[in-house]
Amino acid sequence: MVMTSPTTATAVNSVLRVPPASPAAAAAYFGASLAFHADVSDVASALAAGGDPGFVVVDSRSTASWDQGHVPGAVHLPTALISEQAAALLDPAAPVVTYCWGPGCNGATRAALALAQLGYQVKEMLGGFEYWAREGFAFETWEGGEQRAADPLTAPVDDADCGC
């Protein structure tokens, strides 16, 4: 068996071509990431627990998108209207969790930025509405409630806890 030194491995391995950050730098980065993001399972769990979850969910998409499907209890506040409508719709003391379509859309990021610039505490829901529906959580449409089976590539089919 041929052993390679770490420097030899990094020269041929694209994963380690740039060395990992120090544990302290990694802890700071990942800690900061969690301060800015929440995933759909955590948001769904907090909302399902009953009572006040301690945050407000904001759907930053268009009215047509909202009508197609949205998180139950979410506030509809399209990004373009945040500056003029946020004060009327949101309590400045309550943290806000924004979402848009999904991972390929930065609408929730733009909405989070606009809300932060207005002084709101804000997190972005990773995965957006796409992963809300794909993970099998109930949603509302203009026609009423709907729920789809969980996609086994995004959520455990027979268990509420993914173990994350």
Side-chain angles (χ1 to χ4, degrees), residues 10-11 13-21:
T10 57
N13 181 330
S14 61
V15 172
L16 298 176
R17 186 171 297 133
V18 174

Side-chain angles (χ1 to χ4, degrees), residues 18-138:
V18 174
S22 71
Y29 172 84
F30 293 117
S33 179
L34 291 172
F36 296 110
H37 302 107
D39 67 34
V40 295
S41 294
D42 289 342
V43 172
S45 176
L47 295 176
D52 181 1
F55 60 86
V56 175
V57 178
V58 169
D59 184 317
S60 65
R61 301 171 302 147
S62 69
T63 299
S65 300
W66 167 268
D67 289 346
Q68 188 174 326
H70 57 272
V71 172
V75 172
H76 184 221
L77 182 55
T79 302
L81 302 177
I82 287 174
S83 63
E84 63 188 63
Q85 294 183 2
L89 296 173
L90 302 172
D91 177 352
V96 176
V97 176
T98 62
Y99 75 89
C100 61
W101 272 113
C105 176
N106 68 1
T109 305
R110 284 183 278 132
L113 173 60
L115 288 163
Q117 289 172 331
L118 292 174
Y120 291 87
Q121 290 182 305
V122 64
K123 288 188 173 202
E124 178 182 5
M125 185 173 80
L126 297 176
F129 181 72
E130 176 188 349
Y131 276 74
W132 184 274
R134 288 182 71 186
E135 290 192 23
F137 299 118

